[in-house]
Amino acid sequence: MLLGGRDSLPLPGTWAVLHRVTREAGGPVDSMRTDAAGRYRIRIPQARGAVDSSAVYVVSTWYDSLAYFSLPLNVVGRPAVQVEDLVVYPTTKRTPPIRLTRRLVTIARPAADGTRDVLEILELENTGLTTRITDDTLVPTWAGAIPSAALQFQGGQGDISADAMQRRGDRVLVLGPIPPGHAKQLSYGYVLPAGGAGVALPIDQPTKELNLLVEDTAAAVAAPKVESLGVQEIEQRRFAAYRAGPLAAGDRVTIGLPRGAFRAQTLLPYVIALLAAAMVGALVWALKRKPALAPDHSAP
């Protein structure tokens, strides 16, 4: 265990906890305090003389109100496993600053109802030496803007849990902790309503790099320092790729989107209205006609 900072130092006397997780259940199985060098050794309990190959093991520790977990350990057929150092940090609120280093926006073709699915993947960097936390939903650890017309917002997978994200108006709020170290990834999706000729992507903070993937390859992208990267095939779908940045808060990014292929069924309401009007007109004309005089066949 290490205490992070300008120079990482051993963390003695803290608990290292071994967890066993299966499809049915999970929980701690053993623990050990770290020595003066921040090291520990834990034996994995064996069931019936062999380690359960379906189980996943992780090590955790608790420091300054936060839990830290190791990556899953591959223990099958190995007499000993070296666990990567867990680096913990003191926690602070409202600081340090969190930077948006990369924003990837993927815009799909229109669905049958004309709406478009959008997926955003972002990378956030904690620029300080403490883990930024919050205990107030009005003061998130980070927030960023999305189009105000966005519908059906949903948090996705990443280093930051979907449970730690929420939408408030045209902003996405992150309420989970953001530690220093490598950039932390988060993702979320939403839907753009039908009928729009394009979308303006709000840039509310400095963004080191913006990447766009647009499935409508005829889309027109306008942004500062924008660069076309050609058409890329991803999972048997073709996307026009663009890169822009660095961007400053307030920069304008627009994506002009085709309205979609012509579909005859979209004209059906107009055809019905036209036929109805024609029928009404014919009826009015028939009622206004004067009846013709019948010929007089009476004898003189």
Side-chain angles (χ1 to χ4, degrees):
M1 302 289 180
L2 297 176
L3 177 60
R6 296 191 183 278
D7 297 306
S8 295
L9 301 173
L11 186 64
T14 191
W15 285 105
V17 181
L18 178 68
H19 302 258
R20 179 177 179 270
V21 182
T22 66
R23 292 183 179 180
E24 293 78 23
V29 295
D30 202 354
S31 61
M32 179 72 66
R33 282 194 182 273
T34 57
D35 62 18
R39 300 182 183 277
Y40 57 92
R41 181 185 294 270
I42 304 176
R43 287 186 176 275
I44 297 178
Q46 295 189 356
R48 298 179 183 177
V51 175
D52 184 357
S53 61
S54 66
V56 173
Y57 292 86
V58 295
V59 174
S60 76
T61 193
W62 186 271
Y63 185 81
D64 199 8
S65 76
L66 287 182
Y68 295 80
F69 289 85
S70 73
L71 295 174
L73 306 176
N74 181 12
V75 302
V76 177
R78 304 174 68 180
V81 177
Q82 182 74 29
V83 182
E84 183 178 355
D85 284 328
L86 283 177
V87 184
V88 303
Y89 298 89
T91 60
T92 52
K93 301 174 184 177
R94 299 180 183 267
T95 58
I98 305 297
R99 293 178 182 170
L100 178 55
T101 59
R102 185 169 180 258
R103 182 179 183 183
L104 169 63
V105 182
T106 302
I107 304 176
R109 285 187 180 275
D113 60 358
T115 61
R116 296 174 186 266
D117 290 332
V118 178
L119 172 66
E120 293 206 31
I121 302 176
L122 296 86
E123 293 181 356
L124 304 178
E125 181 185 10
N126 180 327
T127 61
L129 300 174
T130 60
T131 295
R132 181 164 175 173
I133 64 171
T134 185
D135 56 5
D136 185 349
T137 58
L138 299 178
V139 186
T141 51
W142 178 85
I146 59 174
S148 57
L151 306 171
Q152 302 175 30
F153 173 84
Q154 186 172 7
Q157 297 180 343
D159 298 318
I160 297 175
S161 167
D163 295 334
M165 285 183 276
Q166 62 177 239
R167 177 182 180 176
R168 188 174 299 159
D170 61 354
R171 293 174 67 76
V172 177
L173 309 184
V174 172
L175 303 174
I178 304 179
H182 68 276
K184 304 302 181 290
Q185 190 178 94
L186 71 150
S187 67
Y188 49 78
Y190 51 86
V191 174
L192 294 177
V199 57
L201 194 66
I203 307 297
D204 66 332
Q205 59 195 281
T207 305
K208 187 174 181 180
E209 182 177 331
L210 172 68
N211 296 99
L212 299 172
L213 291 173
V214 188
E215 196 169 10
D216 277 311
T217 56
V221 174
K225 309 178 187 71
V226 67
E227 175 186 2
S228 174
L229 303 178
V231 176
Q232 300 181 6
E233 186 168 332
I234 303 174
E235 296 182 351
Q236 299 181 343
R237 297 165 64 184
R238 292 168 60 83
F239 293 85
Y242 299 86
R243 179 172 56 211
L247 303 176
D251 278 347
R252 183 170 176 80
V253 175
T254 59
I255 302 103
L257 298 169
R259 292 185 179 274
F262 171 79
R263 293 177 297 164
Q265 59 265 35
T266 60
L267 296 180
L268 185 59
Y270 303 99
V271 173
I272 294 174
L274 182 61
L275 289 175
M279 292 176 66
V280 171
L283 179 62
V284 172
W285 176 79
L287 292 175
K288 287 185 176 180
R289 286 186 62 191
K290 292 181 180 181
L293 295 175
D296 187 1
H297 296 291
S298 60

